[in-house]
Amino acid sequence: MVSQLAVSELQQITVEIKVLKHQTAQNIIEIGKRLKRVKDRLEHGRYLEWLHDEVDFDPSTAAKFVKVSEQFSNVATSPSLSTGKLFELIALPESVDRQEFVEQPHMIPSTGESKTVDEMTVRELREVKQALKEAERRAERAEAERKRTIEQAADIQRTNRELREQNEQLKRQKNPEPQVIEKVVEVVPPKIQEQLEWDQMVINNAKSDIEKLRKEIESLKLQQTDDFDPEQAKIKRQKLQMEADVSTLQLKVYITEFLKRVGVIAFMDGALAAADPAVKRQLTESIKSLEAYLAKVKSALNSRIVVENAQYREV
C-alpha cells in the first residue's frame, strides 16, 4: 500500500530514476534524493518491493545513493565522477570537507603522484582514502598520547606539591615558629591597693610586737623548783601569757598576709566565674576547710583561759 504518495507521483519518480541511472554524478545525487523521498513515504516492506520490482536496486546500493545525495548535494562535482568514486567518497571521515577534497590534488601512496579525485582511478582513490584514515588514526593516537602526557605531568606536579607540603610540615615540626604569648596584666584598683598597703602596715606592726614579746620571754629566766614559789609562778604566768600573745599575733600576721595575697584575685570576679568546674569544686572544698578552721578560732576567742600554777585552764 502506498502511504502519503500518489500512484502517479510514484510512477513519475520511477521513470526519472531509470533515466538518471545511465547519466552523470549529478544524476546519481538526484537519484539519491528521490530514493530518500520514496523511502520516507512508503512502508518499509513496500519500499523494498518497489526497489526490486520497479527500479532494480538492492537495498545496500540504494542506501549508498541516499548517502551520496546527503553528502554531495551542495558540492560541485565533475560530470565524469563515477558511481564507484562517489561510493568511495561517502566513506571519508566526517571531519573531511567534501568540496575541498574533490577540488584539491592528493598524493597517491603507491606512486607518489599528485592527482585530483577526477583524475584518479577508483583504486587510487581508495589508496588516498586509506592513507587519510591512517593519518587520522595517527592524529587521534597522538592526541590521546598528548592528553596522557598532560595527565602524567599533572600527576607529577601534584605529587611534587604534596611532597613539598610534607617537607614543609616536617620542617615546622622540627623548627616550630616562636609563639607570641600575650600576657594580660591586671591593674589593681586604687581602693584594693590602699587596702593592701594598710594590711602590710598591720603585718609589720604585729611582727614588731611579736619580736618584742619574744625578747621579753627570753629575758625571763625561770628556774625549775619542786617547792612552790609565788614569785616564780608569777614569772611563769607572764611567760605563758606572752607566749599566748605571740601565738595570737602570729596568727593575725598569717591571716593578714593571706588576705593580702588573695586580695588582688578577689576583685577578678570574671576569672573566678570562668574557671573550670573541676577547679571550682577544689576551691569550694578549700573554702569549707578554711571556714571550719575559722569557726574553731572564733570559738577559742570567745572562751576565757586562766593560768593557775603556771598551767592554762579554760573557764
Side-chain angles (χ1 to χ4, degrees):
M1 179 181 291
V2 179
S3 174
Q4 297 181 355
L5 187 65
V7 175
S8 59
E9 185 180 1
L10 180 59
Q11 290 174 346
Q12 177 64 31
I13 292 174
T14 303
V15 173
E16 290 174 351
I17 289 175
K18 288 180 179 179
V19 174
L20 293 170
K21 282 176 68 176
H22 304 287
Q23 297 184 25
T24 65
Q26 187 59 40
N27 291 345
I28 297 172
I29 295 172
E30 293 300 324
I31 291 172
K33 290 179 179 179
R34 287 163 173 77
L35 288 171
K36 187 175 188 307
R37 183 178 177 187
V38 174
K39 181 175 183 288
D40 291 343
R41 299 171 69 178
L42 282 182
E43 295 178 357
H44 180 64
R46 181 70 182 88
Y47 171 69
L48 294 178
E49 291 178 4
W50 176 79
L51 284 178
H52 181 269
D53 297 339
E54 301 296 336
V55 294
D56 193 24
F57 272 122
D58 62 77
S60 62
T61 302
K64 290 179 180 178
F65 272 74
V66 172
K67 285 186 177 181
V68 170
S69 70
E70 292 173 345
Q71 296 185 21
F72 289 89
S73 293
N74 299 320
V75 176
T77 57
S78 170
S80 62
L81 203 59
S82 66
T83 305
K85 290 182 181 180
L86 287 171
F87 286 173
E88 290 295 332
L89 291 173
I90 62 176
L92 287 171
E94 294 182 1
S95 59
V96 176
D97 184 278
R98 267 52 177 174
Q99 185 70 58
E100 291 183 1
F101 190 85
V102 171
E103 293 176 350
Q104 295 178 356
H106 304 277
M107 189 187 72
I108 312 301
S110 61
T111 63
E113 295 181 88
S114 184
K115 295 182 181 181
T116 63
V117 173
D118 192 47
E119 296 171 337
M120 298 177 194
T121 64
V122 174
R123 182 185 62 78
E124 290 173 338
L125 178 58
R126 192 175 292 122
E127 284 186 39
V128 172
K129 185 183 69 173
Q130 185 63 31
L132 183 63
K133 288 183 176 180
E134 287 292 335
E136 190 173 67
R137 281 194 288 269
R138 288 196 298 271
E140 290 176 353
R141 289 195 295 269
E143 178 64 17
E145 184 63 27
R146 185 185 71 84
K147 290 182 178 179
R148 282 196 298 271
T149 301
I150 292 175
E151 290 176 357
Q152 290 174 355
D155 290 339
I156 292 173
Q157 290 179 351
R158 183 166 52 254
T159 302
N160 289 339
R161 185 170 59 252
E162 291 174 354
L163 290 174
R164 286 196 299 270
E165 291 175 355
Q166 292 176 3
N167 188 37
E168 290 298 326
Q169 186 176 3
L170 290 174
K171 286 182 178 179
R172 288 193 296 270
Q173 291 176 353
K174 291 182 179 179
N175 302 301
E177 296 181 0
Q179 295 182 352
V180 178
I181 301 176
E182 296 183 358
K183 183 178 180 180
V184 179
V185 179
E186 297 289 347
V187 179
V188 181
K191 290 184 178 180
I192 299 295
Q193 185 62 41
E194 291 177 2
Q195 182 64 44
L196 293 175
E197 292 175 355
W198 173 261
D199 291 342
Q200 184 61 48
M201 184 183 68
V202 172
I203 291 172
N204 293 337
N205 292 337
K207 287 183 178 180
S208 177
D209 292 340
I210 291 171
E211 187 61 29
K212 290 179 181 178
L213 289 172
R214 283 178 176 170
K215 288 181 179 180
E216 291 180 12
I217 292 172
E218 289 295 328
S219 66
L220 295 174
K221 303 297 183 179
L222 297 180
Q223 297 179 356
Q224 295 295 332
T225 177
D226 295 334
D227 298 328
F228 177 75
D229 186 340
E231 187 61 29
Q232 291 294 332
K234 180 180 178 182
I235 293 173
K236 193 170 184 178
R237 283 196 301 271
Q238 291 177 351
K239 178 186 176 184
L240 292 174
Q241 184 64 55
M242 289 179 183
E243 288 177 347
D245 293 342
V246 168
S247 298
T248 303
L249 287 173
Q250 188 67 60
L251 179 58
K252 173 179 172 57
V253 170
Y254 290 155
I255 292 174
T256 306
E257 287 183 339
F258 168 75
L259 293 175
K260 178 185 175 183
R261 291 185 180 183
V262 300
V264 179
I265 302 176
F267 77 92
M268 296 171 59
D269 297 338
L272 295 176
D276 184 86
V279 177
K280 288 183 178 180
R281 286 194 295 271
Q282 294 178 13
L283 179 59
T284 300
E285 293 298 324
S286 297
I287 291 174
K288 289 180 180 179
S289 299
L290 180 59
E291 289 175 343
Y293 174 74
L294 292 177
K296 292 181 179 180
V297 172
K298 288 181 178 179
S299 176
L301 290 175
N302 293 329
S303 300
R304 190 164 61 87
I305 303 294
V306 298
V307 178
E308 292 182 354
N309 298 326
Q311 299 292 331
Y312 289 116
R313 184 172 63 85
E314 185 175 354
V315 297

